[in-house]
Amino acid sequence: EAGVAQSPRYKIIEKRQSVAFWCNPISGHATLYWYQQILGQGPKLLIQFQNNGVVDDSQLPKDRFSAERLKGVDSTLKIQPAKLEDSAVYLCASSLSRNEQFFGPGTRLTVL
Amino acid sequence: AQSVAQPEDQVNVAEGNPLTVKCTYSVSGNPYLFWYVQYPNRGLQFLLKYITGDNLVKGSYGFEAEFNKSQTSFHLKKPSALVSDSALYFCAVRDIPGTGNQFYFGTGTSLTVIP
């Protein structure tokens, strides 16, 4: 079974630029999550999709972050414009029902 | 509110000795509890989970965890530590069924196994 795929693995941008991350979940997993993990901290949920609908985006900074999952499969997370404090690893995960989540390798974002 | 706490930022243990990584939780109902491990520059990997049933849960790589409802704890254990177990460990709790599927992660415990 293929795992959760994410790209790119690394991204370096300057502040005020835009960036997008892509995630392809495990086939058949209806629930998809985006997390932000700042160095030394645990993952923080940004947004959760159930198929192509948003279940929870209460911690997503909506003035600069957006995410979509149009066909209920893969998803993109965008930051526009980026700030220095957005430097983090962005993790995508998927799950089947209420079972454990499977994580992708993450995208390490550095904002200069 | 649902939450999980990992009281130790760092745990050091000698190779071959038993290890324990602590986790306590706070949930409104019956918890779904999980342990994940993160190796450098890697995503989180699932180790084990408690949903219901036997309080002692066995997982990957020889790890196990004990659910203790009275102490609201879910400590991760391994009888004999390996150097390759050195990594970052996260405890997570899922909110009560029917109210969503959000996970709450602890802040992580860095485990170092000393040869």
Side-chain angles (χ1 to χ4, degrees):
Chain A
E1 173 180 85
V4 176
Q6 288 187 250
S7 66
R9 290 295 311 275
Y10 304 92
K11 190 73 177 180
I12 301 174
I13 61 173
E14 295 190 351
K15 60 183 179 183
R16 292 188 288 275
Q17 284 187 323
S18 302
V19 64
F21 312 128
W22 174 82
C23 172
N24 191 27
I26 293 173
S27 177
H29 282 194
T31 310
L32 185 148
Y33 312 78
W34 282 103
Y35 289 88
Q36 180 191 59
Q37 186 179 20
I38 293 173
L39 188 65
Q41 299 181 18
K44 183 184 83 172
L45 180 71
L46 292 176
I47 189 167
Q48 176 184 336
F49 292 95
Q50 181 74 19
N51 295 308
N52 60 348
V54 175
V55 174
D56 187 332
D57 63 356
S58 57
Q59 298 193 87
L60 186 74
K62 299 181 185 64
D63 58 334
R64 298 184 299 106
F65 286 64
S66 64
E68 60 183 13
R69 192 184 185 200
L70 291 176
K71 297 181 180 180
V73 181
D74 57 351
S75 174
T76 56
L77 176 70
K78 297 179 182 178
I79 307 175
Q80 180 179 5
K83 292 185 175 181
L84 296 176
E85 58 262 36
D86 297 332
S87 294
V89 176
Y90 290 85
L91 296 166
C92 179
S94 68
S95 71
L96 205 57
S97 185
R98 295 190 172 89
N99 288 320
E100 64 272 19
Q101 298 180 355
F102 294 87
F103 285 81
T107 296
R108 182 177 297 277
L109 174 67
T110 302
V111 182
L112 303 175
Chain B
Q2 288 80 4
S3 69
V4 62
Q6 294 180 244
E8 301 161 317
D9 291 335
Q10 174 81 37
V11 170
N12 298 324
V13 63
E15 185 178 22
N17 282 2
L19 69 86
T20 299
V21 183
K22 296 180 181 177
C23 172
T24 59
Y25 65 89
S26 173
V27 296
S28 303
N30 294 322
Y32 289 10
L33 295 158
F34 303 81
W35 275 102
Y36 288 83
V37 61
Q38 187 175 34
Y39 297 99
N41 299 314
R42 303 277 293 277
L44 279 71
Q45 296 178 34
F46 169 75
L47 277 180
L48 52 78
K49 66 182 177 184
Y50 172 82
I51 304 296
T52 187
D54 196 350
N55 288 345
L56 185 64
V57 178
K58 294 188 182 297
S60 307
Y61 312 121
F63 284 93
E64 58 189 28
E66 186 170 10
F67 171 65
N68 188 318
K69 189 171 184 177
S70 63
Q71 297 184 4
T72 62
S73 68
F74 188 57
H75 301 331
L76 181 70
K77 300 180 180 183
K78 188 172 182 181
S80 178
L82 301 173
V83 172
S84 57
D85 293 330
S86 298
L88 196 54
Y89 290 81
F90 290 96
C91 183
V93 63
R94 172 159 249 164
D95 62 6
I96 57 177
T99 65
N101 287 333
Q102 185 172 152
F103 270 67
Y104 298 87
F105 282 87
T107 52
T109 297
S110 179
L111 173 68
T112 300
V113 180
I114 303 163

